[in-house]
Amino acid sequence: MDERYSRQTLFKPIGHSGQEGLEEATVTIVGCGALGSAIAETLARAGVGEIHLVDRDYVEVTNLQRQQLFTEEDAENMLPKVAAAEKRLKAIRSDLRLFTYLDNLDAVLMEKLIATSALVMDATDNFETRLLINDASVKHGVPWIYGACVGSSGVVFPFIPGETGCFRCLLPVLPAVNETCDIVGIISPAVQVTSALQCTEALKWLTGNREAMRKKVHHFNLWDNTQLDIGISRIKNPACETCGETPSFPSLQPAAQRTYAVLCGRDAVQVLPDPKRPITLEDAEKAGRQLDAEMKRTPYFVELHAFGHRMVLFGNGRLLIHGIRNVSEGRKLYHQLFG
């Protein structure tokens, strides 16, 4: 057993057998912002053998207050979060098997990842993606650890298929953490506590200590010095489209994939590429030259300023339009840019 984990194996509930379980485990982390970067670092340091990390965004200076894997240099270079995370995580642990995905999580990618994972960690910022994780979790029988935080509060709960109600049928009774960081702000300790609680549940599951898993939804507020555990064992909707008697897994259906979406917590609209009409980095540069726009190209994307907005086109054709929160405006600007 690697000496670097000696203090962890001294903890009796883990021991050598639990450490072996961690080293054999594959975990998918959805999101690499505040929660995702903290979770990724904790699980990498704990010895999880293989991590798959998905995120669609890049590092900005406003991230640095709470997203612990990133530096000022990453923000200056607008490095994709998964690329910056990979650089730091491999420096922390060179033998980590790390796979990164600079992409929007859709049903195809979600099912591909969950099929080889022992656990999924929620580090996203919107209900739509959580419903996607939830559907894949129940369909494939793989648990996921829900986590959300804003302001000084957070919520954590492990969803275990067949043992708990699922996210879809529990959504009406979960504590509200639906305000966004760009409206009410967030303090870093709320992130750290939420991620620590999520990672503790992950360690329990991956080391075979499943009887120790939380049975209640945990809500805390660090500023008010309050916490609440909410029992949900009796809350299960027999007609739930995900975990009910006749599941249809709606978030995994092709119709659930939206081409345009407002990004939660951001003044930005995301436009997904049309498979029938791929847009390349060269197309973005050509459009920028025609508009005499200020441009910057990196190995990952082209950034250009046009029509009064900052736009970022990634190599797979996905476009972020900053400075708007309206899908119809995003659609109009996309067509102005690419016809």
Side-chain angles (χ1 to χ4, degrees):
M1 185 67 65
D2 194 330
E3 184 66 20
R4 75 186 293 162
Y5 305 114
S6 61
R7 300 303 184 271
Q8 188 162 274
T9 56
L10 284 172
F11 181 62
K12 290 184 179 180
I14 294 182
H16 290 288
S17 62
Q19 191 63 45
E20 289 174 355
L22 291 173
E23 293 175 2
E24 294 169 0
T26 297
V27 175
T28 290
I29 304 172
V30 181
C32 191
L35 286 177
S37 60
I39 291 168
E41 180 171 342
T42 298
L43 295 185
R45 289 185 184 277
V48 169
E50 183 170 308
I51 292 176
H52 294 257
L53 188 57
V54 186
D55 194 276
R56 61 191 177 187
D57 212 349
Y58 53 87
V59 183
E60 297 185 278
V61 69
T62 57
N63 302 149
L64 302 181
Q65 165 254 348
R66 65 198 179 282
Q67 299 185 18
Q68 66 187 46
L69 286 180
F70 310 134
T71 66
E72 289 182 349
E73 182 180 4
D74 296 331
E76 289 169 4
N77 293 330
M78 296 175 63
L79 203 62
K81 290 183 179 180
V82 292
E86 181 175 23
K87 178 178 63 173
R88 177 71 182 278
L89 292 171
K90 294 296 284 187
I92 290 170
R93 207 184 105 211
S94 60
D95 68 340
L96 172 65
R97 300 189 302 277
L98 179 64
F99 299 86
T100 60
Y101 308 82
L102 175 58
D103 209 346
N104 183 71
L105 185 73
D106 60 13
V108 174
L109 180 56
M110 185 70 252
E111 291 206 77
K112 174 186 173 183
L113 293 173
I114 206 166
T116 59
S117 297
L119 186 67
V120 176
M121 303 297 289
D122 166 34
T124 186
D125 58 5
N126 64 88
F127 287 142
E128 181 182 60
T129 305
R130 291 186 178 112
L131 287 169
L132 176 61
I133 297 170
N134 182 70
D135 277 13
S137 166
V138 175
K139 180 179 178 181
H140 292 269
V142 176
W144 65 289
I145 313 297
Y146 165 66
C149 53
V150 71
S152 59
S153 64
V155 182
V156 172
F157 184 67
F159 284 97
I160 304 174
E163 296 184 19
T164 66
C166 80
F167 184 76
R168 189 181 298 275
C169 62
L170 295 180
L171 192 55
V173 298
L174 287 174
V177 184
N178 51 12
E179 296 174 306
T180 61
C181 299
D182 67 327
I183 296 174
V184 300
I186 187 167
I187 58 172
S188 185
V191 174
Q192 302 304 319
V193 172
T194 304
S195 65
L197 292 172
Q198 286 182 275
C199 288
T200 302
E201 295 304 298
L203 292 178
K204 293 175 187 177
W205 182 262
L206 297 173
T207 60
N209 290 279
R210 297 174 185 181
E211 72 286 348
M213 302 284 289
R214 288 184 179 273
K215 305 299 189 294
K216 298 181 178 181
V217 176
H218 182 70
H219 178 272
F220 68 86
N221 189 312
L222 298 176
W223 210 260
D224 296 343
N225 302 310
T226 59
Q227 59 181 348
L228 177 67
D229 289 299
I230 305 167
I232 57 168
S233 59
R234 298 181 181 180
I235 303 174
K236 192 176 189 309
N237 180 9
C240 176
E241 295 175 293
T242 299
C243 69
E245 297 173 359
T246 56
S248 60
F249 308 115
S251 292
L252 296 177
Q253 304 305 316
Q257 181 68 49
R258 295 188 299 170
T259 304
Y260 294 82
V262 178
L263 297 191
C264 180
R266 299 281 296 277
D267 287 328
V269 166
Q270 174 179 262
V271 184
L272 297 181
D274 182 350
K276 298 178 181 178
R277 189 196 172 200
I279 302 295
T280 67
L281 298 183
E282 287 70 27
D283 291 329
E285 285 189 310
K286 180 180 178 182
R289 287 193 296 269
Q290 290 175 342
L291 295 169
D292 195 25
E294 178 185 346
M295 284 192 297
K296 172 184 178 181
R297 178 164 179 168
T298 78
Y300 306 98
F301 59 78
V302 169
E303 178 195 29
L304 55 87
H305 296 259
F307 310 114
H309 295 279
R310 179 162 63 97
M311 305 183 188
V312 178
L313 183 90
F314 292 91
N316 64 356
R318 184 169 56 90
L319 179 69
L320 295 184
I321 305 174
H322 292 266
I324 60 174
R325 293 188 181 184
N326 184 283
V327 167
S328 61
E329 186 178 356
R331 185 180 294 110
K332 177 181 177 182
L333 288 167
Y334 179 82
H335 288 294
Q336 283 182 305
L337 189 62
F338 297 117

